[in-house]
Structures are given as structure tokens and as C-alpha cells.
């Protein structure tokens, strides 16, 4: 039985969804490949074969169509990123150059009355666009033609090229047209302005796609480039890739943990927030597991690597994010697929029009045939089609920005319109993500002991210590703290005026000689039962006070959940926190389905289960542990206060960090997609109605033939209707938070 392997590659040279189809067809012709999948959104190709394919051979087959494969390795990703940046800069320069030429072309053709020599001026500016920044459309259309394919570039090249050539003939042979009883019109502005619009759409699309790739880059940045390995009785700094399972590694305070490992020597506080989403650092002792991507805070650790860099939990998260992102299908693909059919249909119709008029039409036979063929091609020019999606998306994203919603592209709006289920991360999403004092119990005078407590906790870096300092104002005079000690995972100690003060958990106070019976009764039993973190304050074996801390709900969280449920959207809460805390908050929010103590892979599996049920799922998260699930969800949403990885993996960001913005996001998605569908309808309606008229359908009944000038006007009006319809988004009603 043969063993098949799947290899991923980056692909360059694609400009639309039809390009992905073309590349996939070319690669599928290679007999040694079992399966080929090209994803336009992620610019990746997945190839399944018995043996790793010959990259040079594949590129030789793709070269004719203008594509190139690159290995999907970290170093190659960096190369691809640099190429993408250069390409985006080049795209901007081409757009700027085309705009500079398009401005005088627009003024002469649209705003000024006809004058002697105006055709030659328009010819000059249109030529500068078509043979300058617009040359790429003709080059790519020719590359596609050589391999028997067509795409949006074919349509643009066909429409603008026909308009340009027709206008050249009309400009330089006006007497011939007059002798045939025809009054030719030039379409230089149609050719030049159309290409400028398309270049604008391509530039904006490129910017959106560049942001999507940053999620993987941010994840890769969590892996340190080098690691300290014990070799030949000394610590040796080596590349991360050199570390293998079983190696002994040194991790100093403040360093990122490079691999999944087990602690052999030392103890430390490890910040796992990027992995679990929880704000409190975890105390790690000998024998405890630690994971790549987390941060060693306080202690020197000697660890044994359990897995290589490509097998760590962080590497698995990277793979999950990459796979989930690659499965997305942006709405622009719909337009590309339609265009792939539209191009050959228009070519056939234009040719049929010319043949029918040539063989069956009245005199002047071939003049009528050419005139009507050009009218068909001009009226079918895809200006409105090219504007339909970008205009709705640009204005929808712009409206979202004013509302504090940062949307990364069409996928966000497409997904937001039809969500069936909403999954929430707990910490930092529905809650503030910071520990706050919830309750206190003083057994002795606060006024007397507050300065000492403040002086002691001011020396601590623990999040609970910082929260405790907000209890009251900083005393004007603080006592001196001697022999300060931070007991990892337990609390802090110090001497003030010869007396020992302690702030920490039960274990610390018992170690200092406090009678456990003094801790047996008090409100802290109820606090702990609710999942709150409790700190005790003691002086010389005497309990002075106790404090309870917990995360709190964000403003508007309850109202947001209720509004989603009122729309028939199912709500769920997932968290890596302990069950008692998750259940308490779920009950407070009115969420019936909540799960606790989950790992990143558990969250993404939960999303997949919902999707397997046919539900369209949105998720709100803010940590690295949420990144795979955010990418897997049909709509990933992050707060602006989230981690960098979550910000990049999500497709929408709530800049105001207000949960109610989720309702506004759904409203905006529905409005934008409604406008977009209307745009596509109008874009095609003009073609469906105009093409038969341009072909001469009315001539047998009315004697009317559509002048190419009117065909151009109809094509232009379709673009105007698309723009005006899209502008309605600026005043579309959006839900507001009730007082």
C-alpha cells in the first residue's frame, strides 16, 4: 500500500480567483500528483503525492501562466513576505501613475466641451495608462491564453483593448466612417479610467491580504531564534532547529520558553497567558511541564526538551491557524468564477453578432457587423462588475471604522451576515482580563496596618499585589521593609520595625507559624467556593486581614449576550479557567452552554463540532490560545486589547473593547452584503439587457441599432448606479447600546 504525503507551497503570480483555478488545472495535469488544492486567499498550494514532487518541474509547467511555487518553510515565508511588500509598493506606484494620467483624461473627456484635437489628447493619456501601469492586464491575459485559460485580466484586456483599438480607427480614419453613413465615437476614457479603477481595487485587496498573513508571522516570532543546549559539559548557544527531544536546555528569567519541556532544576513563575488566556502566572516546580511560546518570569530553569521545535504545542497552533485560514473562501471568488464564464460567453456573443450581421444583415454589411460587435464588447466591459464588490466592501469597512470596528476584508462582512452560533472566550473577552478586589475582611485596624501592607506589596510584581494596592491611597509615609522575600507561588515576606509581615496564600501563612484554626472560619470559604483568589495578611502569626480577587464582566457583556439570543443566535462560553469560575460567570451572563479547563486544541475542536452541525460560527477571543479557534470560526473577532496573535488571527477587531460592538458588526455585515448583492445584480442586469440590444435585437422591429457611444454610456451608468447604491451604507441604521 502506497503512503501519500502532503506538501504545502507558497504560490506567486495570482491576481484573482480564476488564477487559482488555472494554476490548479495546470498542476493537476502532472501525472505524479495525486491531489492538488490551490487557495487564492492564503496564496498556498497543497499537493498530495507518493513522493515529494520536483519543484523545478512544477515551476516549469506553471511559468507559461505566470505562476511560481516557493517552499512553505519559515525562511521562505520571510522571503515571500519581502516579495509581497515590494509587490504592494509596486502596486501603489502603478495606481499613483495611472491616477496622474487618468485625471486629465477625465477632465478632457467628461468636463470640457469638444474642441479640435481633443481626441489626440485623450489618445495620449489613455495610451500612457494602457501601455504603462495597465500593461500588466494584457501580459497576464496573454499568459492565460497560452495555457487555454481566462480570468479577470482577460476581461479587462478585452474590454479596454477593444475600446482603444476602435477609438484609434475612429480617430485616424474618420472620413471612411462618414462614407459608410456612420458617426464614430471614441472610447479612450473608457479604456483608461476602467483600468485605473481596477488597479485601485487590486491595491486595496492586496493591503487586506497582507494583514491576514501577519497572524502566522506573529506566532513564529514567539519562538526564539537560538537556545542554550548542554553539550560537552558546557552551555552552547545553538539555532532552535538544532534542539531535539531529550536535550537539556537552559532558560533564564525573562526568556521565552523555546520548546515543550519538563523542568529538571529550579522553580519559577511562568506566564502562560498567551497559551491559556489566564492572567495569573503559574508556579512551576521540578517535574512540571512547560510549553513553547510561554514566558519564564522569575527563576533560572534547566529543562529537558520533550519535542522538537516543529512538534511543540506552539507549532501545532501555528499549523492549526494556517490550515483554518487556508480553508476560507472570500466573496470575491464568486465574482471571479462568474467572470471565468462571462469572458468566453461575451467572446462568443460578439463573434456571433459579427457573423450574423455579415451574412444576413443589410448594407453596409461589414460596417454594421463591426459596429455591433464593438457595441457588444463595450457594453459588456466589466467596469460595474469590477466595482460591485470593492465599492460595497470599501464603504462597509469605512463605516465600520467610524463605529470602532476594524474589518480585514470581505470575509468579515460576508460571515457576519449569517451567524447561527457565537462562541465566547471568557478571560479578557467577556471579562476585563484583570484581577480586581471584590471583598475584604479586616480583623485589625486598617488605618494602622495599611502603610505596612502597602510598603510590602509595593515590592511585589505579582498581579494580585498590584490589584491590592488599589484598595486605598498610597500612604504619605511608608515604613522601611527589611529582608524582603518573594516566595514563588505563595506570597511575600518582609520585616518592618523588627516584626515579620506576610502576604500570601494559606500555605505561606502556615509556614510562618500561623495556626491553621485561625484560617478555618471566615468569609474566605465562600470566596474560594466561588472561584475567587484569596490573599491573607498576617503579622507575627496573627491574622490581620483577608482579600478576595476575581475578574469582572465587561460593561455591556450581559446585554450583548441577551441581544444575540434574541436574534436566535446560540451562545457558548469556552475557557481554560477552573470550572467553578466559568459556571459562575456563565450563570451571571445567561449562557447555558459553558466549558472550562480547555486547551487550544479543545477550543478549535468545539468550533469544528458546531460547524459539522451546519452552524455558521463566530468567536470572540483575545489570547494566543484562542488563535486557532478564531481562524477556524467562520468569523473570528478580537478585542483591541487582545494579544498580537489574536489581533492578527481575527478577521474583525473591536477597537472600543465593547462587547456591544458585536451586534453592530452583525448589522454592518447584513447591510454590506445586501448592498453588494444589489450591486452585482445591477452590474449584470445592464449586461443582460444591454447586450441583446447592442447585438441588434431591436433592428428587425424598430430599425434601431445601438451606437457604441450609447453602449459606453450605458456601461458608465451601470457603474454610477453601483457607486450610488454603495453610498447608502454611509447612512444605514446600526444598533446602538440601550441606556
Amino acid at each position: 500500500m502506497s503512503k501519500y504525503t502532503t506538501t504545502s507551497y507558497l504560490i506567486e503570480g495570482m491576481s484573482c480567483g480564476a488564477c487559482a483555478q488555472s494554476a490548479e488545472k495546470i498542476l493537476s495535469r502532472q501525472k505524479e500528483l495525486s491531489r492538488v488544492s490551490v487557495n487564492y486567499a492564503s496564496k498556498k498550494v497543497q499537493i498530495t503525492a507518493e513522493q515529494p514532487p520536483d519543484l523545478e518541474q512544477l515551476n516549469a509547467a506553471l511559468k507559461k501562466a505566470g505562476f511560481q511555487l516557493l517552499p512553505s518553510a519559515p525562511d521562505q515565508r520571510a522571503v515571500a513576505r519581502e516579495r509581497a511588500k515590494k509587490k504592494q509598493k509596486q502596486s501603489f506606484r502603478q495606481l499613483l501613475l495611472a491616477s496622474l494620467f487618468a485625471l486629465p483624461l477625465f477632465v478632457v473627456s467628461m468636463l470640457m466641451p469638444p474642441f479640435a484635437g481633443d481626441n489626440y489628447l485623450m489618445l495620449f493619456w489613455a495610451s500612457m495608462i494602457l501601455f504603462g501601469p495597465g500593461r500588466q492586464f494584457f501580459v497576464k491575459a496573454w499568459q492565460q491564453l497560452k495555457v487555454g485559460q481566462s480570468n479577470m485580466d482577460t476581461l479587462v484586456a478585452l474590454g479596454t483593448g477593444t475600446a482603444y483599438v476602435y477609438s484609434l480607427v475612429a480617430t485616424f480614419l474618420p472620413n471612411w466612417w462618414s462614407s459608410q453613413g456612420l458617426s464614430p465615437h471614441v472610447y479612450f476614457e473608457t479604456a483608461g479610467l476602467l483600468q485605473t479603477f481596477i488597479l485601485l481595487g487590486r491595491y486595496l485587496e492586496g493591503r487586506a491580504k497582507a494583514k491576514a498573513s501577519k497572524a502566522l508571522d506573529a506566532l513564529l516570532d514567539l519562538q526564539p531564534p537560538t537556545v542554550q543546549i548542554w553539550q560537552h559539559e558546557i552551555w552552547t548557544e545553538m539555532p532552535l532547529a538544532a534542539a531535539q527531544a531529550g536535550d537539556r536546555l537552559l532558560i533564564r528569567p525573562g526568556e521565552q520558553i523555546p520548546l515543550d519541556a519538563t523542568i529538571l532544576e529550579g522553580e519559577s513563575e511562568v506566564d502562560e497567558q498567551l497559551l491559556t488566556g489566564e492572567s495569573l502566572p503559574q508556579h512551576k516546580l521540578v517535574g512540571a511541564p512547560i510549553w513553547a511560546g510561554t514566558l519564564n518570569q522569575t527563576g533560572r530553569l534547566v529543562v529537558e526538551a520533550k519535542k522538537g521545535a516543529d512538534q511543540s504545542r506552539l507549532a501545532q497552533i501555528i499549523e492549526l491557524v494556517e490550515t483554518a485560514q487556508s480553508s476560507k473562501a472570500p466573496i470575491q471568488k464568486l465574482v471571479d468564477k462568474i467572470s471565468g464564464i462571462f469572458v468566453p460567453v461575451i467572446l462568443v456573443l460578439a463573434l456571433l453578432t459579427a457573423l450574423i450581421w455579415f451574412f444576413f444583415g443589410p448594407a453596409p454589411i461589414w460596417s454594421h457587423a463591426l459596429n455591433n460587435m464593438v457595441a457588444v464588447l463595450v457594453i459588456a466591459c466589466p467596469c460595474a462588475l469590477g466595482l460591485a464588490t470593492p465599492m460595497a466592501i470599501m464603504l462597509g469597512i469605512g463605516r465600520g471604522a467610524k463605529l470602532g470596528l476594524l474589518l480585514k476584508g470581505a470575509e468579515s462582512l460576508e460571515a457576519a451576515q449569517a451567524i447561527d452560533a457565537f462562541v465566547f472566550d471568557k478571560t479578557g473577552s467577556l471579562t476585563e482580563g484583570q484581577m480586581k478586589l471584590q471583598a475584604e475582611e479586616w480583623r485589625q485596624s486598617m488605618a494602622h496596618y495599611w502603610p505596612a501592607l502597602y510598603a510590602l506589596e509595593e515590592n511585589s510584581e505579582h498581579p494580585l499585589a498590584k490589584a491590592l494596592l488599589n484598595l486605598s491611597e498610597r500612604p504619605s509615609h511608608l515604613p522601611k521593609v527589611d529582608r524582603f522575600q518573594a516566595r514563588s507561588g505563595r506570597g511575600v515576606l518582609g520585616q518592618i520595625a523588627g516584626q515579620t509581615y506576610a502576604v500570601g496564600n494559606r500555605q505561606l501563612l502556615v509556614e510562618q507559624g500561623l495556626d491553621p484554626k485561625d484560617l478555618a472560619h471566615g468569609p474566605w470559604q465562600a470566596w474560594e467556593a466561588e472561584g475567587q483568589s484569596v490573599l491573607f495578611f498576617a503579622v507575627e502569626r496573627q491574622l490581620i486581614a483577608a482579600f478576595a480577587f476575581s475578574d469582572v464582566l465587561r460593561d455591556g457583556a450581559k446585554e450583548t449576550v441577551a441581544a444575540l439570543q434574541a436574534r436566535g443566535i446560540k451562545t457558548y462560553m469556552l475557557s481554560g479557567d477552573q470550572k467553578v469560575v466559568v459556571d459562575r460567570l456563565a450563570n451571571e451572563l445567561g449562557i447555558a452552554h459553558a466549558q472550562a479547563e480547555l486547551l487550544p486544541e479543545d477550543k478549535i475542536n468545539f468550533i469544528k463540532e458546531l460547524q459539522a452541525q451546519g452552524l455558521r460560527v463566530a468567536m470572540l477571543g483575545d489570547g494566543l490560545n484562542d488563535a486557532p479557534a478564531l481562524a477556524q470560526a467562520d468569523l473570528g473577532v478580537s478585542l483591541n486589547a487582545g494579544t498580537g496573535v489574536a489581533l492578527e488571527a481575527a478577521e474583525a477587531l473591536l477597537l472600543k473593547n465593547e462587547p456591544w460592538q458585536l451586534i453592530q458588526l452583525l448589522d454592518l455585515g447584513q447591510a454590506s452584503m445586501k448592498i453588494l448583492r444589489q450591486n452585482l445584480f445591477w452590474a449584470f442586469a445592464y449586461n443582460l439587457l444591454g447586450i441583446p440590444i447592442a447585438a441588434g435585437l431591436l433592428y428587425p422591429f424598430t430599425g434601431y441599432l445601438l451606437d457604441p457611444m450609447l453602449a459606453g454610456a450605458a456601461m458608465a451608468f451601470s457603474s454610477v448606479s453601483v457607486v450610488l447604491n454603495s453610498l447608502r451604507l454611509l447612512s444605514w441604521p446600526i444598533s446602538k447600546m440601550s441606556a
Side-chain angles (χ1 to χ4, degrees), residues 28-62:
S28 297
R29 295 171 188 159
Q30 307 300 311
K31 296 180 180 180
E32 68 273 14
L33 306 184
S34 174
R35 181 179 176 274
V36 176
S37 176
V38 180
N39 187 286
Y40 170 59
S42 62
K43 296 293 191 294
K44 290 197 66 177
V45 181
Q46 289 188 331
I47 296 176
T48 302
E50 290 188 27
Q51 297 179 351
D54 186 334
L55 188 58
E56 291 186 6
Q57 181 179 342
L58 297 183
N59 277 327
L62 290 169

Side-chain angles (χ1 to χ4, degrees), residues 201-232:
R202 294 249 173 114
Y203 170 72
L204 295 174
E205 180 186 6
R207 287 189 61 184
K209 292 186 183 304
K211 292 180 180 179
S213 66
K214 291 183 179 179
L216 294 176
D217 299 340
L219 287 170
L220 291 169
D221 289 341
L222 292 175
Q223 296 178 310
T226 61
V227 62
Q228 296 286 337
I229 303 178
W230 183 255
Q231 286 188 345
H232 309 297

Side-chain angles (χ1 to χ4, degrees), residues 355-377:
L355 292 175
I356 290 173
W357 278 96
F358 186 81
F359 288 107
F360 304 104
I365 296 175
W366 79 272
S367 297
H368 279 151
L370 178 61
N371 195 79
N372 292 332
M373 182 186 74
V374 171
V376 169
L377 291 172

Side-chain angles (χ1 to χ4, degrees), residues 30-241:
Q30 307 300 311
K31 296 180 180 180
E32 68 273 14
L33 306 184
S34 174
R35 181 179 176 274
V36 176
S37 176
V38 180
N39 187 286
Y40 170 59
S42 62
K43 296 293 191 294
K44 290 197 66 177
V45 181
Q46 289 188 331
I47 296 176
T48 302
E50 290 188 27
Q51 297 179 351
D54 186 334
L55 188 58
E56 291 186 6
Q57 181 179 342
L58 297 183
N59 277 327
L62 290 169
K63 185 177 180 180
K64 291 182 180 179
F67 306 129
Q68 182 182 7
L69 295 183
L70 294 173
S72 184
D75 56 340
Q76 289 297 326
R77 288 194 189 105
V79 172
R81 286 200 302 269
E82 289 303 315
R83 290 188 181 182
K85 289 179 182 178
K86 290 181 180 179
K87 185 176 181 181
Q88 188 66 6
K89 290 180 180 179
Q90 181 184 15
S91 176
F92 176 75
R93 289 194 297 268
Q94 291 173 337
L95 173 62
L96 181 61
L97 187 62
S99 300
L100 291 175
F101 297 143
L103 181 60
L105 177 62
F106 174 78
V107 171
V108 172
S109 62
M110 301 293 186
L111 302 182
M112 297 178 64
F115 59 91
D118 58 350
N119 282 5
Y120 296 99
L121 278 177
M122 289 188 287
L123 166 62
F124 173 75
W125 294 118
S127 299
M128 296 300 289
I129 296 174
L130 267 67
F131 297 104
R135 179 175 175 271
Q136 59 181 292
F137 297 112
F138 299 102
V139 172
K140 293 179 180 178
W142 173 246
Q143 289 174 334
Q144 290 292 306
L145 181 62
K146 287 192 296 183
V147 293
Q149 302 294 327
S150 62
N151 60 7
M152 195 69 174
D153 294 310
T154 307
L155 201 58
V156 174
L158 178 65
T160 58
T162 301
Y164 182 81
V165 172
Y166 179 85
S167 301
L168 279 179
V169 176
T171 299
F172 291 103
L173 298 174
N175 295 333
W176 180 85
W177 290 98
S178 300
S179 67
Q180 302 298 317
L182 299 173
S183 178
H185 181 77
V186 296
Y187 301 98
F188 292 124
E189 77 284 357
T190 297
L193 297 179
L194 172 61
Q195 287 200 353
T196 303
F197 276 122
I198 300 299
L199 288 172
L200 172 62
R202 294 249 173 114
Y203 170 72
L204 295 174
E205 180 186 6
R207 287 189 61 184
K209 292 186 183 304
K211 292 180 180 179
S213 66
K214 291 183 179 179
L216 294 176
D217 299 340
L219 287 170
L220 291 169
D221 289 341
L222 292 175
Q223 296 178 310
T226 61
V227 62
Q228 296 286 337
I229 303 178
W230 183 255
Q231 286 188 345
H232 309 297
E233 304 302 318
I234 60 171
W235 292 110
T236 304
E237 185 174 7
M238 301 183 67
L240 177 62

Side-chain angles (χ1 to χ4, degrees), residues 420-668:
D420 302 312
F422 221 112
V423 176
F424 293 94
D425 169 54
K426 177 186 72 67
T427 306
S429 298
L430 289 174
T431 68
E432 294 285 350
Q434 297 179 353
M435 303 299 285
K436 292 187 177 181
L437 183 68
Q438 301 298 315
E440 56 182 307
E441 172 78 7
W442 285 88
R443 295 290 177 88
Q444 302 294 332
S445 169
M446 176 183 175
H448 179 73
Y449 285 101
W450 173 242
L453 176 59
Y454 196 101
L456 194 63
E457 289 293 77
E458 193 176 43
N459 289 286
S460 174
E461 294 295 326
H462 198 279
L464 293 185
K466 295 179 180 179
L468 185 56
L469 295 181
N470 295 324
L471 176 62
S472 185
E473 294 183 358
R474 188 180 192 275
S476 56
H477 297 287
L478 292 178
K480 180 182 178 183
V481 179
D482 297 318
R483 299 182 182 179
F484 176 83
Q485 301 178 45
R487 298 288 179 85
S488 186
R490 300 189 292 280
V492 296
L493 301 169
Q495 287 195 352
I496 300 176
Q499 290 186 308
T500 300
Y501 287 71
V503 184
N505 57 21
R506 290 172 181 265
Q507 182 181 354
L508 178 67
L509 269 62
V510 171
E511 288 177 356
Q512 294 305 304
L514 189 71
D515 190 342
K517 294 179 181 179
D518 293 341
L519 301 175
H521 302 288
W524 41 84
Q525 277 85 9
W527 300 343
E528 291 171 337
E530 293 176 353
Q532 300 189 67
S533 299
V534 179
L535 281 184
F536 297 96
F537 175 38
V539 180
E540 293 292 340
R541 304 177 184 178
Q542 180 184 10
L543 182 63
I544 303 299
F547 310 93
F549 302 85
S550 69
D551 205 352
V552 295
L553 291 177
R554 289 186 179 272
D555 292 338
K558 290 183 182 180
E559 294 82 356
T560 300
V561 171
L564 290 172
Q565 293 172 344
R567 296 185 178 205
I569 297 175
K570 299 179 180 180
T571 56
Y572 305 85
M573 185 165 70
L574 307 179
S575 177
D577 206 350
Q578 54 185 320
K579 189 176 187 301
V580 62
V581 177
V582 174
D583 289 345
R584 174 174 59 83
L585 288 176
N587 183 63
E588 188 175 350
L589 288 163
I591 296 178
H593 306 281
Q595 293 189 20
E597 301 175 1
L598 299 181
L599 296 173
E601 49 265 39
D602 298 324
K603 292 185 178 182
I604 192 173
N605 288 335
F606 185 86
I607 299 289
K608 289 180 178 179
E609 289 176 5
L610 294 179
Q611 291 172 330
Q613 299 172 21
L615 298 177
R616 288 158 293 189
V617 184
M619 179 177 179
L620 177 66
D622 73 321
L624 179 139
N625 62 311
D626 301 317
L630 288 172
Q632 176 63 38
D634 298 279
L635 175 64
V637 187
S638 176
L639 298 173
N640 193 35
T643 64
V645 174
L647 294 177
E648 299 300 345
E651 294 153 326
L653 306 180
L654 309 184
L655 298 181
K656 297 179 181 178
N657 294 317
E658 297 175 358
W660 186 258
Q661 291 184 281
L662 295 174
I663 305 300
Q664 296 180 325
L665 175 59
L666 300 186
D667 287 347
L668 185 64

Side-chain angles (χ1 to χ4, degrees), residues 1 18 97 179 211 277 280 295 303 324 352 395 411 459 470 576 723:
M1 181 177 179
L97 187 62
S179 67
K211 292 180 180 179
L280 289 177
L295 180 65
V303 304
L352 285 175
L395 288 170
E411 314 93 271
N459 289 286
N470 295 324
V723 173

Side-chain angles (χ1 to χ4, degrees), residues 246-300:
D247 285 345
R248 179 173 292 196
L249 313 176
L250 173 64
I251 307 172
R252 291 178 284 251
E255 291 184 342
Q256 212 85 28
I257 294 173
L259 302 171
D260 294 353
T262 300
I263 297 177
L264 299 178
E265 300 175 16
E267 61 178 295
S268 181
E269 299 288 329
V270 177
D271 183 355
E272 297 182 344
Q273 185 171 1
L274 292 177
L275 188 64
T276 66
E278 303 311 314
S279 56
L280 289 177
Q282 301 298 308
H283 184 58
K284 298 290 186 177
L285 299 171
V286 172
I290 54 177
W291 291 280
T294 58
L295 180 65
N296 179 32
Q297 288 190 330
T298 58
R300 176 183 182 275

